[in-house]
């Protein structure tokens, strides 16, 4: 039997989805592309995610990967070459990019909103009530503009310094996850007409050659897929066996087989219910039995998620 297709559930303007699209490009992969709405309801995605609400979500048959820090390692396991982690141990690259994204996400939104102005009212309400728990209207963000700029500029100065020896990518000649994580944050800020203003604000001139090379990775070979076809792809197979040991770290008060919830500890804190399958250094896997699509394995990164009995 052929391997299940890689399917990405995403929308075009999502920066975290752009990080994954570029990872698919870096690896030169074929993939199914399911377009989702920019805000819930997402009734054809919920059966796969059990309510995890963030985008993107990667599906490989009945295995569902939530969060880019589960998605990139999964792509690397499935298609090791070319690697997403050239020049840096995968664990270090994931740790660095996790810290970068955590530190900068709201600041990057602040810089973006400064130039872009207000987004539609319903979008602002959704992001405040159910995603960021922060009002990202122009009026609410603007008092923090300088603080946000300072936070982002500190990182972009590191980026420029790291590239100042003329290397093509952060890890050397080959692009990797560390490039993609820096890129997608800049991609959000530089979108639309505001690129020139953002470049001036953050002094991005010296990194624009690198930026163009990362963009040049492209998105691989997507083919449009309906959400119904993705549900059928999950229904028609069982999850892949989970490799590794059954040992569960001390910090997780549950054993394999126990009912648990897994919840992001930052944004969109919606608990997902299932039975614990495995926890290892980098990931949490739970099983969900869904009335529409059958048995699924949901994979989360360990960093940024809590596991509770129940
Ligand atoms: N840590 C997550 C962050 C994902 C995230 O925040 N994605 C944004 C879109 S770029 C999102 O989910 N926004 C709310 C939504 O689309 O419902 C990851 O790495 O995947």
């Amino acid at each position: 039997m052929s391997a299940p297709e890689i399917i990405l559930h995403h929308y075009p303007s999502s920066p975290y989805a752009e990080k994954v699209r570029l990872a698919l490009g870096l690896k030169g992969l074929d993939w199914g592309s399911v377009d989702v709405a920019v805000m819930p309801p997402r009734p054809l995605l919920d059966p796969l995610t059990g309510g995890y609400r963030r985008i993107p979500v990667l599906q490989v048959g009945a295995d569902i990967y939530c969060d880019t820090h589960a998605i990139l390692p999964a792509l690397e396991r499935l298609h090791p070459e070319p690697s997403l982690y050239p020049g840096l141990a995968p664990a270090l690259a994931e740790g660095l990019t996790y810290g970068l994204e955590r530190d900068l996400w709201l600041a990057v939104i602040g810089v973006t909103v400064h130039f872009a102005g207000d987004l539609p009212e319903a979008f602002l309400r959704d992001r405040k009530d159910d995603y960021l728990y922060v009002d990202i209207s122009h009026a609410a963000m603007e008092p923090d503009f300088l603080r946000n700029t300072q936070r982002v500029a500190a990182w972009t100065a590191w980026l420029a310094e790291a590239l100042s020896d003329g290397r093509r990518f952060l890890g050397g000649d080959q692009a990797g996850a560390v490039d993609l994580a820096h890129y997608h944050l800049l991609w959000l800020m530089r979108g639309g007409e505001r690129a020139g203003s953002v470049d001036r604000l953050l002094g991005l001139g010296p990194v624009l050659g690198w930026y163009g090379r990362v963009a040049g990775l492209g998105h691989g070979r997507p083919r449009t897929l309906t959400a119904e076809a993705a549900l059928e792809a999950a229904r028609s197979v069982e999850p892949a066996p989970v490799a590794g040991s059954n040992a569960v770290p001390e910090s997780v008060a549950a054993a394999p087989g126990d009912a648990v919830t897994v919840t992001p500890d930052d944004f969109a804190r919606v608990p997902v219910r299932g039975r614990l399958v495995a926890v290892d250094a980098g990931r949490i896997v739970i099983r969900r039995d869904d009335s529409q699509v059958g048995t699924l394995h949901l994979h989360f990164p360990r960093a940024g998620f809590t596991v509770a009995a129940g």
Side-chain angles (χ1 to χ4, degrees):
M1 213 173 100
S2 60
E5 183 175 16
I6 290 172
I7 299 172
L8 186 66
H9 300 260
H10 64 135
Y11 51 88
S13 61
S14 157
Y16 282 95
E18 182 64 9
K19 178 183 170 189
V20 177
R21 291 186 291 256
L22 288 166
L24 293 160
L26 186 156
K27 288 188 176 289
L29 295 174
D30 294 305
W31 53 283
S33 171
V34 179
D35 208 17
V36 301
V38 297
M39 68 180 116
R42 296 169 177 146
L44 297 181
L45 181 56
D46 292 343
L48 297 177
T49 61
Y52 171 79
R53 97 139 252 191
R54 301 189 310 205
I55 299 297
V57 171
L58 189 91
Q59 174 188 355
V60 183
D63 283 275
I64 310 298
Y65 297 89
C66 301
D67 194 292
T68 60
H69 293 278
I71 294 173
L72 264 55
L75 290 175
E76 186 79 357
R77 273 195 303 278
L78 292 167
H79 297 277
E81 296 296 335
S83 175
L84 283 167
Y85 305 105
L88 198 58
L92 282 180
E94 285 302 320
L96 167 62
T97 56
Y98 171 81
L100 164 73
E101 291 165 347
R102 277 255 162 152
D103 193 45
L104 287 195
W105 187 230
L106 284 177
V108 159
I109 292 173
V111 171
T112 305
V113 165
H114 172 81
F115 292 107
D118 266 342
L119 291 152
E121 194 59 40
F123 181 89
L124 293 177
R125 200 173 327 112
D126 169 68
R127 269 26 184 186
K128 177 165 184 281
D129 293 348
D130 295 324
Y131 169 51
L132 297 166
Y133 314 118
V134 166
D135 181 353
I136 59 165
S137 64
H138 190 266
M141 294 300 270
E142 209 49 16
D144 283 335
F145 173 62
L146 281 184
R147 194 167 62 89
N148 288 331
T149 302
Q150 160 65 6
R151 204 177 189 106
V152 176
W155 278 94
T156 52
W158 273 335
L159 172 66
E161 195 177 324
L163 293 167
S164 65
D165 63 1
R167 62 184 55 213
R168 289 178 54 73
F169 297 103
L170 287 164
D173 287 341
Q174 308 299 323
V178 178
D179 297 284
L180 305 188
H182 282 85
Y183 174 92
H184 84 90
L185 298 173
L186 294 180
W187 182 80
L188 175 62
M189 290 184 290
R190 299 183 77 247
E193 306 287 294
R194 50 187 185 269
S197 309
V198 172
D199 293 350
R200 277 189 295 282
L201 177 75
L202 298 171
L204 293 180
V207 307
L208 293 180
W210 161 88
Y211 187 90
R213 286 191 286 280
V214 178
L217 295 169
H219 293 163
R221 290 176 299 276
R223 74 174 184 109
T224 303
L225 209 64
T226 63
E228 288 82 359
L231 290 175
E232 184 50 35
R235 198 179 293 123
S236 59
V237 293
E238 291 296 310
V242 177
S245 98
N246 254 354
V248 172
E250 286 280 316
S251 60
V252 174
D258 286 356
V260 291
T261 57
V262 179
T263 312
D265 67 10
D266 54 350
F267 305 127
R269 294 191 290 267
V270 181
V272 180
R273 290 180 190 287
R275 298 223 165 244
L276 189 66
V277 174
V279 186
D280 64 22
R283 66 178 173 163
I284 303 160
V285 187
I286 64 171
R287 197 190 81 216
R288 281 191 66 241
D289 293 301
D290 184 85
S291 57
Q292 291 184 53
V293 286
T295 301
L296 304 166
H297 278 175
L298 270 63
H299 305 250
F300 302 89
R302 192 158 164 219
F305 287 79
T306 58
V307 184

